[in-house]
Short mmCIF file of all heavy atoms in Angstrom, two decimals:
data_model
loop_
_atom_site.label_atom_id
_atom_site.label_comp_id
_atom_site.label_asym_id
_atom_site.label_seq_id
_atom_site.Cartn_x
_atom_site.Cartn_y
_atom_site.Cartn_z
N LYS A 14 103.29 129.56 108.14
CA LYS A 14 102.11 128.80 107.72
C LYS A 14 101.28 129.62 106.73
O LYS A 14 100.81 129.10 105.72
CB LYS A 14 101.27 128.41 108.93
CG LYS A 14 100.06 127.56 108.58
CD LYS A 14 99.31 127.11 109.82
CE LYS A 14 98.10 126.27 109.42
NZ LYS A 14 97.31 125.87 110.57
N GLY A 15 101.10 130.90 107.01
CA GLY A 15 100.35 131.78 106.11
C GLY A 15 101.04 131.92 104.76
O GLY A 15 100.40 131.91 103.71
N ARG A 16 102.36 132.03 104.78
CA ARG A 16 103.12 132.13 103.54
C ARG A 16 102.95 130.85 102.72
O ARG A 16 102.78 130.90 101.50
CB ARG A 16 104.60 132.37 103.85
CG ARG A 16 105.44 132.65 102.63
CD ARG A 16 106.91 132.95 102.99
NE ARG A 16 107.06 133.97 104.02
CZ ARG A 16 107.06 135.28 103.78
NH1 ARG A 16 106.91 135.71 102.57
NH2 ARG A 16 107.22 136.13 104.76
N GLY A 17 102.94 129.70 103.39
CA GLY A 17 102.72 128.43 102.70
C GLY A 17 101.35 128.35 102.05
O GLY A 17 101.21 127.89 100.92
N GLU A 18 100.33 128.82 102.78
CA GLU A 18 98.97 128.84 102.23
C GLU A 18 98.90 129.74 100.99
O GLU A 18 98.32 129.37 99.97
CB GLU A 18 97.97 129.32 103.27
CG GLU A 18 97.68 128.32 104.37
CD GLU A 18 96.94 127.10 103.86
OE1 GLU A 18 96.05 127.23 103.00
OE2 GLU A 18 97.27 126.00 104.33
N LEU A 19 99.49 130.92 101.08
CA LEU A 19 99.47 131.83 99.93
C LEU A 19 100.24 131.25 98.74
O LEU A 19 99.82 131.43 97.59
CB LEU A 19 100.04 133.19 100.33
CG LEU A 19 99.11 134.06 101.17
CD1 LEU A 19 99.83 135.35 101.58
CD2 LEU A 19 97.82 134.37 100.45
N THR A 20 101.33 130.57 99.02
CA THR A 20 102.09 129.94 97.94
C THR A 20 101.24 128.89 97.24
O THR A 20 101.22 128.80 96.01
CB THR A 20 103.39 129.32 98.48
OG1 THR A 20 104.19 130.37 99.03
CG2 THR A 20 104.17 128.60 97.39
N THR A 21 100.53 128.09 98.01
CA THR A 21 99.64 127.07 97.43
C THR A 21 98.57 127.74 96.57
O THR A 21 98.33 127.32 95.43
CB THR A 21 99.01 126.21 98.54
OG1 THR A 21 100.05 125.55 99.24
CG2 THR A 21 98.05 125.18 97.96
N TRP A 22 97.91 128.76 97.10
CA TRP A 22 96.88 129.46 96.33
C TRP A 22 97.46 130.07 95.06
O TRP A 22 96.86 130.01 94.00
CB TRP A 22 96.23 130.56 97.16
CG TRP A 22 95.38 130.07 98.28
CD1 TRP A 22 94.99 128.78 98.54
CD2 TRP A 22 94.81 130.86 99.31
NE1 TRP A 22 94.23 128.73 99.67
CE2 TRP A 22 94.10 130.00 100.17
CE3 TRP A 22 94.84 132.21 99.60
CZ2 TRP A 22 93.42 130.45 101.28
CZ3 TRP A 22 94.15 132.66 100.72
CH2 TRP A 22 93.45 131.79 101.55
N HIS A 23 98.63 130.66 95.19
CA HIS A 23 99.30 131.26 94.02
C HIS A 23 99.54 130.21 92.95
O HIS A 23 99.24 130.44 91.77
CB HIS A 23 100.61 131.92 94.45
CG HIS A 23 101.45 132.36 93.30
ND1 HIS A 23 101.17 133.48 92.55
CD2 HIS A 23 102.55 131.81 92.75
CE1 HIS A 23 102.07 133.61 91.60
NE2 HIS A 23 102.92 132.61 91.70
N ASN A 24 100.06 129.05 93.34
CA ASN A 24 100.34 127.98 92.38
C ASN A 24 99.06 127.49 91.71
O ASN A 24 99.04 127.22 90.51
CB ASN A 24 101.08 126.83 93.04
CG ASN A 24 102.51 127.20 93.39
OD1 ASN A 24 103.08 128.14 92.83
ND2 ASN A 24 103.09 126.49 94.33
N GLU A 25 97.99 127.36 92.49
CA GLU A 25 96.72 126.91 91.92
C GLU A 25 96.18 127.91 90.91
O GLU A 25 95.76 127.54 89.81
CB GLU A 25 95.69 126.70 93.04
CG GLU A 25 95.97 125.49 93.89
CD GLU A 25 94.96 125.33 95.03
OE1 GLU A 25 93.85 125.89 94.94
OE2 GLU A 25 95.30 124.63 96.00
N LEU A 26 96.18 129.19 91.29
CA LEU A 26 95.68 130.21 90.38
C LEU A 26 96.55 130.34 89.14
O LEU A 26 96.04 130.52 88.03
CB LEU A 26 95.58 131.56 91.11
CG LEU A 26 94.48 131.64 92.16
CD1 LEU A 26 94.61 132.93 92.97
CD2 LEU A 26 93.11 131.53 91.54
N ARG A 27 97.85 130.25 89.32
CA ARG A 27 98.75 130.32 88.18
C ARG A 27 98.47 129.18 87.20
O ARG A 27 98.42 129.38 86.00
CB ARG A 27 100.20 130.27 88.66
CG ARG A 27 101.19 130.63 87.57
CD ARG A 27 102.56 130.79 88.11
NE ARG A 27 103.08 129.45 88.35
CZ ARG A 27 104.15 129.18 89.05
NH1 ARG A 27 104.81 130.14 89.63
NH2 ARG A 27 104.56 127.95 89.20
N ALA A 28 98.22 127.97 87.75
CA ALA A 28 97.92 126.82 86.90
C ALA A 28 96.62 127.04 86.12
O ALA A 28 96.53 126.71 84.94
CB ALA A 28 97.82 125.56 87.75
N ILE A 29 95.64 127.63 86.76
CA ILE A 29 94.35 127.87 86.11
C ILE A 29 94.49 128.92 85.02
O ILE A 29 94.03 128.74 83.89
CB ILE A 29 93.29 128.30 87.15
CG1 ILE A 29 92.95 127.13 88.07
CG2 ILE A 29 92.04 128.84 86.46
CD1 ILE A 29 92.17 127.52 89.31
N PHE A 30 95.13 130.05 85.34
CA PHE A 30 95.18 131.15 84.40
C PHE A 30 96.22 130.99 83.30
O PHE A 30 96.02 131.47 82.20
CB PHE A 30 95.38 132.48 85.14
CG PHE A 30 94.17 132.88 85.92
CD1 PHE A 30 94.19 132.89 87.30
CD2 PHE A 30 92.99 133.21 85.28
CE1 PHE A 30 93.07 133.23 88.03
CE2 PHE A 30 91.86 133.57 85.99
CZ PHE A 30 91.89 133.58 87.37
N LEU A 31 97.29 130.32 83.57
CA LEU A 31 98.32 130.14 82.55
C LEU A 31 98.08 128.92 81.69
O LEU A 31 98.68 128.77 80.64
CB LEU A 31 99.71 130.06 83.19
CG LEU A 31 100.20 131.33 83.89
CD1 LEU A 31 101.58 131.10 84.48
CD2 LEU A 31 100.25 132.49 82.90
N LYS A 32 97.23 128.02 82.15
CA LYS A 32 96.93 126.77 81.42
C LYS A 32 98.21 126.06 81.01
O LYS A 32 98.32 125.51 79.93
CB LYS A 32 96.08 127.06 80.18
CG LYS A 32 94.77 127.71 80.47
CD LYS A 32 93.80 126.72 81.04
CE LYS A 32 92.44 127.38 81.19
NZ LYS A 32 91.54 126.65 81.99
N ARG A 33 99.18 126.10 81.89
CA ARG A 33 100.46 125.46 81.61
C ARG A 33 100.34 123.95 81.64
O ARG A 33 99.41 123.40 82.23
CB ARG A 33 101.49 125.86 82.67
CG ARG A 33 101.98 127.25 82.52
CD ARG A 33 103.10 127.56 83.44
NE ARG A 33 103.66 126.40 84.08
CZ ARG A 33 104.39 126.43 85.17
NH1 ARG A 33 104.65 127.55 85.74
NH2 ARG A 33 104.86 125.33 85.69
N ASP A 34 101.29 123.30 81.03
CA ASP A 34 101.40 121.86 81.13
C ASP A 34 101.55 121.51 82.61
O ASP A 34 102.45 122.01 83.27
CB ASP A 34 102.62 121.38 80.35
CG ASP A 34 102.92 119.92 80.56
OD1 ASP A 34 102.01 119.17 80.94
OD2 ASP A 34 104.08 119.53 80.35
N GLN A 35 100.68 120.71 83.12
CA GLN A 35 100.70 120.39 84.54
C GLN A 35 101.38 119.05 84.82
O GLN A 35 101.13 118.43 85.84
CB GLN A 35 99.27 120.40 85.09
CG GLN A 35 98.70 121.79 85.16
CD GLN A 35 99.50 122.69 86.09
OE1 GLN A 35 99.59 122.45 87.29
NE2 GLN A 35 100.11 123.71 85.55
N GLY A 36 102.22 118.61 83.91
CA GLY A 36 102.93 117.36 84.14
C GLY A 36 103.91 117.49 85.29
O GLY A 36 104.46 118.55 85.56
N ILE A 37 104.11 116.38 85.97
CA ILE A 37 105.07 116.32 87.07
C ILE A 37 106.28 115.54 86.56
O ILE A 37 106.16 114.36 86.22
CB ILE A 37 104.45 115.62 88.30
CG1 ILE A 37 103.25 116.44 88.81
CG2 ILE A 37 105.49 115.43 89.40
CD1 ILE A 37 102.45 115.76 89.91
N SER A 38 107.41 116.21 86.50
CA SER A 38 108.63 115.58 86.02
C SER A 38 109.39 114.95 87.17
O SER A 38 109.39 115.48 88.28
CB SER A 38 109.53 116.61 85.34
OG SER A 38 108.90 117.11 84.19
N GLY A 39 110.01 113.84 86.89
CA GLY A 39 110.81 113.17 87.91
C GLY A 39 111.79 112.20 87.29
O GLY A 39 111.71 111.88 86.10
N THR A 40 112.68 111.73 88.11
CA THR A 40 113.70 110.77 87.70
C THR A 40 113.34 109.40 88.23
O THR A 40 113.05 109.25 89.43
CB THR A 40 115.08 111.20 88.25
OG1 THR A 40 115.36 112.53 87.80
CG2 THR A 40 116.18 110.25 87.78
N VAL A 41 113.34 108.41 87.35
CA VAL A 41 113.02 107.04 87.76
C VAL A 41 114.09 106.54 88.73
O VAL A 41 115.30 106.68 88.46
CB VAL A 41 112.95 106.10 86.53
CG1 VAL A 41 112.73 104.66 86.95
CG2 VAL A 41 111.85 106.56 85.56
N ILE A 42 113.64 106.00 89.85
CA ILE A 42 114.56 105.42 90.85
C ILE A 42 114.01 104.08 91.29
O ILE A 42 112.82 103.80 91.17
CB ILE A 42 114.74 106.34 92.09
CG1 ILE A 42 113.40 106.58 92.81
CG2 ILE A 42 115.40 107.65 91.71
CD1 ILE A 42 113.53 107.26 94.16
N SER A 43 114.89 103.25 91.81
CA SER A 43 114.46 101.99 92.40
C SER A 43 113.89 102.25 93.78
O SER A 43 114.37 103.12 94.50
CB SER A 43 115.64 101.01 92.52
OG SER A 43 116.01 100.57 91.24
N GLY A 44 112.87 101.49 94.12
CA GLY A 44 112.26 101.63 95.44
C GLY A 44 112.88 100.65 96.42
O GLY A 44 113.93 100.06 96.16
#
Side-chain angles (χ1 to χ4, degrees):
K14 183 176 180 183
R16 187 178 309 276
E18 287 293 321
L19 285 176
T20 298
T21 299
W22 291 351
H23 171 76
N24 289 339
E25 288 178 21
L26 290 171
R27 192 171 77 194
I29 291 167
F30 290 112
L31 294 180
K32 300 285 185 194
R33 286 188 12 199
D34 172 22
Q35 289 299 296
I37 298 172
S38 295
T40 304
V41 175
I42 61 170
S43 289

